[in-house]
Structures are given as C-alpha cells and as structure tokens.
C-alpha cells in the first residue's frame, strides 16, 4: 500500500509539504509526480543527487536513499486569489504502473480591494465618542488574511504617531517584562536567548519588512516550542505576562469602537498594523496623503494602495485613531471597486 499526503489547501507563497509512505519490503523503480506550473519544488528529502530529475513540471525519482519514504517541499507562486490545482502521482515497478493517484490542492491568498476612496472625511467629536463619516472602505475578497500598514507621505499635512497613553503603557509593560525575565533567565537558562529576543522585540517593535516578519516568525516558533515542551516554563511565562499586564492596564482606555474594529479583523481577515496610532485633526481642513501597504503570512508583497488627496476636518481638535478612518466590512450589493 502506498499512502500519499498533501494538504487540501495552502496560502500562496507558503511552503507546501508532500510525502509518500510505503512498506520497506515493497520495490519501486520510478516515481513520477506531475505538479502545476503555479508550484515549484524547493526541497526533496531522502533522495540523493543524481537519483532525480525535474523536467517540464514533472519530478522523476529513480531511487530513494531509505526505502519506504519520499518527502518533498513545494512552494507556490502568486496567482489568482483562489485556484484549485491537481498533482498526478504515478508509481512504477518493472515498467508497470502499480499506483496512480490525483491529489487536489486549493491555493489561496488575500485579495484587497478599495471600494470607497473619499475626497472628504468629517470627524464629529461628542464627549468621549468620535464618529467619522464617509470612511475609506477596504475589502478582502480573498481567503487569506491581509496585513495592512498605513504610511503617510512626506507631502501629507497629517502624520500618524503613537498616542501618549498607549506609548506609556507599552514602555511600562515591556520595562516590567524585562525586569521579570531576569528571574526566568536564572531559572530557565536554556531559554534565556529566547527571552532576551522577546523583550528586545517588544521594546523595539519591528518594521513592516520581510526580514522583520521572518524574525518574528522564528522567535515565536521557538517560543511556542519551548512553552510546549516545558509546562513549568509555560506557567511562569504566562504568569509574568499577566501580572505585568494587570499592573499597567489602568493606563489604557478601552473603547467600544475598538472592540468593533477587533471583531471586523476576525470576520473580514484584515489586520491593520498600528491601528491604535493616531493623527491630529482639527477644525482646519488638512490633507492626508498616504500609501496602504499589504502583505500576508507568507510575506508576499502586493501593490500598495494610493490614498491620495483626502481632506479631513473635525468639529474640534482631536487625536483620531487610525482604525476609525477605515471600514473593513462587506461591500453593499451593487457597489463596485472605488465606490462605483
């Protein structure tokens, strides 16, 4: 019996594992795997150089090092937001087909579309509530989660920055975590490097670059592994985070609108980096000129969205949270991209 494994779906640009298992007593002379043009072979396991060849999107394996296993790591290319492709696997013994199988795979990615780009946004401040009219409507039509970051241009009248209360919370929180990790380092010296990197990342948040995202992924992969393998470390680490958080939570004001925004993240697969950053707006009309950059969990880069020449005016001076500029909901029926 030959067993073939391939995940049923994968984010485009991500690594895709594939493997075959069979009895070591079974003789196999040739394995042919035909894969779609949207994929390429990144690594082959248990096969020595000279025992395989790639030709026209077909992998030919003449011999494995240890009988009974073949592993392949594919990687997919960016294509349409959602496509379904097939892999064709054929196994031969003495020039006869002994196994034939098709495996289907759905390749997906985020598909960010701009549905409304207003020329004018009005801000209405009433006591502790801030309302914005005619928001920038962004919709993710794809299945993958999109990670967005707003960057104001030099020519923009309006700039974004950390709000004082959030910045104060961040500094005090990470200062507290840094103090507490010293005890953890003494108790768990094998995890000291992970803890040092964790604190460094918190004190100096990474930029929105592929290298930074890869560093975050490596750090948290190592941290999750450590927490999974050592229950005592898990308890002490969680206790450190929670106690430090509650020591400083009084600094942060929770807003109903922010909870609504968080709900939209889950439902619409859009994460806005630095969503609680603010921009100062007033009764004097000011121009916002910015770009909205997009990536995903496979670090794919997409064409930025131009947010140019938006006038923002408020009934009073206020620090406007960035997330209040956006509507990430499902577009109304009949409304096309760019509001048409």
């Amino acid at each position: 019996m030959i067993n073939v494994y391939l995940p049923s779906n994968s984010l485009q640009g991500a690594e895709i594992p594939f493997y075959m298992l069979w009895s070591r007593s079974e003789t196999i002379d040739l394995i042919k795997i035909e894969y779609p043009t949207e994929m390429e072979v990144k690594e082959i396991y248990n096969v020595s150089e000279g025992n395989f060849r790639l030709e026209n999107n077909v992998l030919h394996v003449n011999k494995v090092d240890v009988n009974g296993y073949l592993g392949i790591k594919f990687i997919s290319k960016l294509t349409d937001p959602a496509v379904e492709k097939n892999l064709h696997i054929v196994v031969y013994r003495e020039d006869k087909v002994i196994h034939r199988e098709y495996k289907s795979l759905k390749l997906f990615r985020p598909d960010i579309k701009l549905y409304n780009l207003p020329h004018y946004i009005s801000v209405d401040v009433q006591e502790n509530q801030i309302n914005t009219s005619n928001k920038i409507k962004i919709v993710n039509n794809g299945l993958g989660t999109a990670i967005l970051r707003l960057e104001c241009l030099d020519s923009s009248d309006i700039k974004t920055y950390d709000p004082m209360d959030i910045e104060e919370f961040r500094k005090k929180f990470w200062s507290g975590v840094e103090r507490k990790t010293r005890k953890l380092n003494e108790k768990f010296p094998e995890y000291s490097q992970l803890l040092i990197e964790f604190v460094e990342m918190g004190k100096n948040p990474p930029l929105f670059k592929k290298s930074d995202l890869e560093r975050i992924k490596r750090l948290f992969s190592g941290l999750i592994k450590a927490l999974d393998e050592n229950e005592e470390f898990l308890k002490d680490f969680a206790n450190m985070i929670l106690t430090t958080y509650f020591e400083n939570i009084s600094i942060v004001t929770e807003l109903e609108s922010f909870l609504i925004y968080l709900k939209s993240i889950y439902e619409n697969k859009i994460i806005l980096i630095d969503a609680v950053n603010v921009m100062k707006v007033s009764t004097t009309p000011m121009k916002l000129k910015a770009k909205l950059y997009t990536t995903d969990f496979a670090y794919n880069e997409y064409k930025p969205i131009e947010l140019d020449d938006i006038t923002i005016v408020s009934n009073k001076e206020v620090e406007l949270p960035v997330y209040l500029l956006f509507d990430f909901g499902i577009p109304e029926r009949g409304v096309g991209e760019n509001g048409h």
Side-chain angles (χ1 to χ4, degrees), residues 190-239:
E190 66 271 33
Y191 303 131
S192 61
Q193 187 58 40
L194 275 175
L195 292 169
I196 291 170
E197 291 179 13
F198 177 70
V199 171
E200 177 61 26
M201 183 207 67
K203 292 178 67 178
N204 300 287
L207 300 174
F208 195 72
K209 296 179 180 177
K210 182 175 181 178
S211 58
D212 291 325
L213 293 172
E214 289 174 343
R215 181 164 63 90
I216 293 171
K217 185 178 180 180
R218 286 196 302 271
L219 169 61
F220 278 92
S221 293
L223 192 57
I224 289 169
K225 181 181 178 183
L227 296 172
D228 187 54
E229 68 186 13
N230 191 322
E231 187 174 350
E232 188 176 2
F233 178 63
L234 168 63
K235 290 179 180 178
D236 286 2
F237 182 84
N239 182 65

Side-chain angles (χ1 to χ4, degrees), residues 319-334:
E319 288 185 327
L320 178 69
V322 168
Y323 68 87
L324 285 177
L325 290 177
F326 294 93
D327 176 3
F328 296 129
I330 299 171
E332 297 176 7
R333 183 172 296 179

Side-chain angles (χ1 to χ4, degrees), residues 125-183:
V125 183
Q126 299 295 333
E127 296 182 353
N128 293 326
Q129 189 171 1
I130 304 175
N131 296 307
T132 52
S133 68
N134 204 18
K135 296 185 179 186
I136 303 166
K137 191 168 188 63
I138 302 288
V139 176
N140 183 4
N141 292 320
L143 298 175
T145 298
I147 305 170
L148 308 182
R149 178 178 63 89
L150 181 73
E151 183 174 302
C152 294
L153 304 180
D154 292 339
S155 57
S156 177
D157 297 334
I158 299 173
K159 308 293 184 184
T160 62
Y161 56 92
D162 289 336
M164 292 301 292
D165 54 348
I166 295 295
E167 180 64 12
E168 183 184 357
F169 171 80
R170 187 182 68 81
K171 287 180 178 178
K172 289 190 175 183
F173 174 80
W174 286 106
S175 178
V177 168
E178 186 174 29
R179 287 196 307 272
K180 290 180 173 64
T181 53
R182 292 171 191 150
K183 290 185 178 180

Side-chain angles (χ1 to χ4, degrees), residues 37 241 277:
T37 56
I241 296 296
N277 275 6

